[in-house]
C-alpha cells in the first residue's frame, strides 16, 4: 500500500509541475502575441500619423492654389465686364448715329 501511495504522490507531483509549466508557457505565448500585436498597431499608428500630416500639407497647398485661381478668375471677370461695357457703349453710340 505504501508503494501505491508513493507512486500516486509522485504522479500527482509530476502532474502539478506539468500544470504549472503549461500555465507559464501559455502566459508567455499570450504575452508574445500581445507584444507582436502592439508592435503592428504602433506601426499602423505611426503610418497614419504621417499620412494625416501629409494630408494636412496637401490641403494647405490646395487652399493656396484655390486662392490663386480665384484671384485669376476675378481678374478675368473684371476684364470681361469692362470689355462688355465698352461693347455696349460702342453699340449705343452706333445706334445714336444711325438714329440721328
Amino acid at each position: 500500500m505504501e508503494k501505491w501511495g508513493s507512486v500516486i504522490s509522485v504522479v500527482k507531483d509530476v502532474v502539478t509541475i506539468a500544470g504549472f509549466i503549461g500555465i507559464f508557457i501559455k502566459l508567455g505565448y499570450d504575452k508574445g502575441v500581445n507584444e507582436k500585436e502592439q508592435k503592428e498597431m504602433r506601426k499602423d499608428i505611426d503610418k497614419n500619423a504621417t499620412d494625416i500630416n501629409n494630408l494636412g500639407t496637401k490641403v494647405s497647398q490646395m487652399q493656396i492654389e484655390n486662392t490663386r485661381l480665384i484671384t485669376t478668375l476675378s481678374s478675368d471677370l473684371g476684364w470681361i465686364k469692362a470689355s462688355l461695357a465698352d461693347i455696349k457703349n460702342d453699340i449705343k453710340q452706333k445706334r445714336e448715329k444711325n438714329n440721328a
Side-chain angles (χ1 to χ4, degrees), residues 46-60:
D46 290 343
K47 183 180 179 297
N48 288 341
T50 303
D51 289 346
I52 288 170
N53 289 336
N54 290 340
L55 185 60
T57 304
K58 286 180 184 178
V59 167
S60 296

Side-chain angles (χ1 to χ4, degrees), residues 27-74:
L27 289 174
Y29 175 78
D30 288 344
K31 184 177 178 184
V33 169
N34 285 337
E35 286 179 1
K36 183 178 177 182
E37 288 175 356
Q38 285 178 348
K39 286 179 184 178
E40 290 297 320
M41 284 179 166
R42 175 55 51 198
K43 286 179 187 177
D44 290 344
I45 290 169
D46 290 343
K47 183 180 179 297
N48 288 341
T50 303
D51 289 346
I52 288 170
N53 289 336
N54 290 340
L55 185 60
T57 304
K58 286 180 184 178
V59 167
S60 296
Q61 186 64 32
M62 287 174 68
Q63 288 174 338
I64 292 169
E65 290 296 323
N66 285 342
T67 302
R68 188 177 301 145
L69 179 63
I70 288 170
T71 303
T72 303
L73 289 175
S74 196

